[in-house]
Amino acid sequence: VLIGLVIFFNSWAIVRAGSVGVVTRLGAVQRVVNPGLIIKMPFIESVRRMETRTQKEQVDAASASKDLQEVKATIALNFRLRGEKAVDVYQNIGTEYSDRIIAPAMQEAFKATTAQFTASDLIGKREAVKQLAFSEIKGRLEKYNIIVDDFNIVNFDFSPEFNAAIEQKTVAAQNKERS
């Protein structure tokens, strides 16, 4: 009876909504299954769940602007896995695709984008910077079957020297206006 119960409970799995299941047989990938009840061969097949809902990855990035000012930023990406291609992602990248592909792509896209703008343009043309970085990262991740929904620059931070220079310039402009 105990052996029968163990076999019964190992012959099915449930894939929850917002994910797909990758069925492997003795380690070899067989197919992708949609959410719901999955019947599988006990002890021979296993089901790995891969989330297809929108996820968020947030990283701290450091770069240099066109005028060689140090730029630090916190950037966030909303992405999701293309469910029908989960087998390719599982086989070629694994379940840790966020650490292996997404975080490095975010860093590279941010560096490539900020290098095209001066430090003052990064502040003044923030929306253009965001759109350019969004296009860059979308292109990089598309080939890995990852859909990019949105990209956000949470904040910009510059070197203390640059911040002091901006403050001095603002104070000088205010003093000139007063006189």
Side-chain angles (χ1 to χ4, degrees):
V1 171
L2 182 62
I3 292 171
L5 285 174
V6 169
I7 290 173
F8 172 74
F9 283 111
N10 278 309
S11 64
W12 56 275
I14 295 176
V15 176
R16 305 214 181 277
S19 52
V20 294
V22 177
V23 178
T24 59
R25 182 176 297 149
L26 299 174
V29 176
Q30 296 298 307
R31 65 190 186 279
V32 173
V33 292
N34 291 319
L37 181 67
I38 310 304
I39 305 300
K40 63 184 186 78
M41 294 171 40
F43 307 110
I44 299 203
E45 290 184 336
S46 63
V47 179
R48 304 284 179 175
R49 290 165 188 84
M50 297 192 68
E51 189 153 349
T52 56
R53 287 182 285 209
T54 299
Q55 300 174 62
K56 175 186 161 191
E57 178 74 21
Q58 184 168 313
V59 298
D60 293 323
S63 182
S65 63
K66 187 176 185 178
D67 53 356
L68 301 179
Q69 292 295 325
E70 179 184 348
V71 181
K72 292 181 182 175
T74 302
I75 53 178
L77 182 73
N78 290 52
F79 67 93
R80 57 194 161 91
L81 182 66
R82 190 180 310 276
E84 64 273 9
K85 297 290 187 175
V87 167
D88 294 337
V89 174
Y90 184 81
Q91 273 185 316
N92 298 322
I93 303 167
T95 56
E96 304 86 22
Y97 57 89
S98 182
D99 294 333
R100 291 182 181 174
I101 301 296
I102 294 173
M106 289 173 67
Q107 295 277 353
E108 276 303 308
F110 181 73
K111 288 177 182 180
T113 302
T114 56
Q116 299 176 31
F117 294 88
T118 63
S120 58
D121 283 346
L122 288 172
I123 298 167
K125 298 178 180 176
R126 188 178 181 125
E127 188 60 32
V129 174
K130 175 189 170 186
Q131 289 303 322
L132 191 59
F134 176 75
S135 297
E136 177 80 21
I137 197 161
K138 189 174 183 177
R140 287 175 186 260
L141 294 178
E142 197 172 65
K143 63 185 173 189
Y144 296 110
N145 296 307
I146 297 168
I147 300 166
V148 176
D149 293 326
D150 198 13
F151 178 82
N152 295 296
I153 301 170
V154 179
N155 70 340
F156 274 125
D157 191 23
F158 298 95
S159 68
E161 296 82 14
F162 184 75
N163 288 336
I166 290 175
E167 186 176 335
Q168 287 174 355
K169 182 179 176 183
T170 305
V171 169
Q174 289 172 348
N175 288 338
K176 182 178 178 182
E177 203 173 290
R178 279 187 209 143
S179 57

